[in-house]
Amino acid sequence: MDIRHLNEDDLELVCQHREAMFRDAGKGDDVLLPMTAHFREWLRPRLADGAYFGFVMLDGGASIAGIGLMLIDWPPHPAHPLSDKRGYVLNVFVEPGYRKRGLARELMRLADAEFARRGVDYAVLHATDKGRPLYQELGWNGTTEMAKTLSVLPDESAG
């Protein structure tokens, strides 16, 4: 098994992993296909400039797992009073035939080490129901975060 850093050439791989992750969580094509199209265009410059980074695991040259990481500009907070950034973990995915072998655990260990290397001492993630037990076992805790979907008004100035 080989592990390497993500690079620009991994654009489609990251998109595939993200879509498969959400499909596993029960999302359908009506949401996933447009999401992936927009995500691809969002991701392209971030992979190129290193704002989106992470790791991919390979078995015989074939990708079997991956993790995405980002740094988020965030004001100092009681959870990190001396830091103005947070780590963000996203797109943790292991191919079905490779699950329950500790690969996601190893990806999370790599994430912790990479954040530490970059001077980040606080990180967040959004867990699927399937991933939550692993994250809790690794010391991740729930927060008080809440979310709301907002209605977007048409831009009347574009006309």
Side-chain angles (χ1 to χ4, degrees), residues 51-128:
Y52 184 100
F53 52 99
F55 300 92
V56 62
M57 292 180 155
L58 305 145
D59 185 11
S63 168
I64 57 167
I67 189 170
L69 307 171
M70 297 177 62
L71 300 182
I72 301 172
D73 184 37
W74 201 270
H77 180 275
H80 50 88
L82 303 177
S83 179
D84 60 1
K85 60 187 167 189
R86 291 178 171 189
Y88 187 63
V89 176
L90 66 164
N91 302 329
V92 179
F93 181 76
V94 177
E95 291 290 347
Y98 288 85
R99 293 179 183 167
K100 304 294 183 193
R101 298 185 189 186
L103 301 183
R105 179 180 308 280
E106 177 63 11
L107 288 169
M108 293 301 294
R109 187 195 67 73
L110 290 166
D112 286 354
E114 184 65 20
F115 286 142
R117 188 182 75 74
R118 292 172 184 243
V120 175
D121 63 359
Y122 186 83
V124 295
L125 60 74
H126 289 89
T128 63

Side-chain angles (χ1 to χ4, degrees), residues 108-150:
M108 293 301 294
R109 187 195 67 73
L110 290 166
D112 286 354
E114 184 65 20
F115 286 142
R117 188 182 75 74
R118 292 172 184 243
V120 175
D121 63 359
Y122 186 83
V124 295
L125 60 74
H126 289 89
T128 63
D129 289 340
K130 288 181 180 180
R132 188 170 285 108
L134 171 67
Y135 303 134
Q136 289 172 328
E137 186 180 315
L138 294 174
W140 291 79
N141 298 300
T143 69
T144 58
E145 182 175 286
M146 297 174 74
K148 177 182 177 182
T149 300
L150 304 172

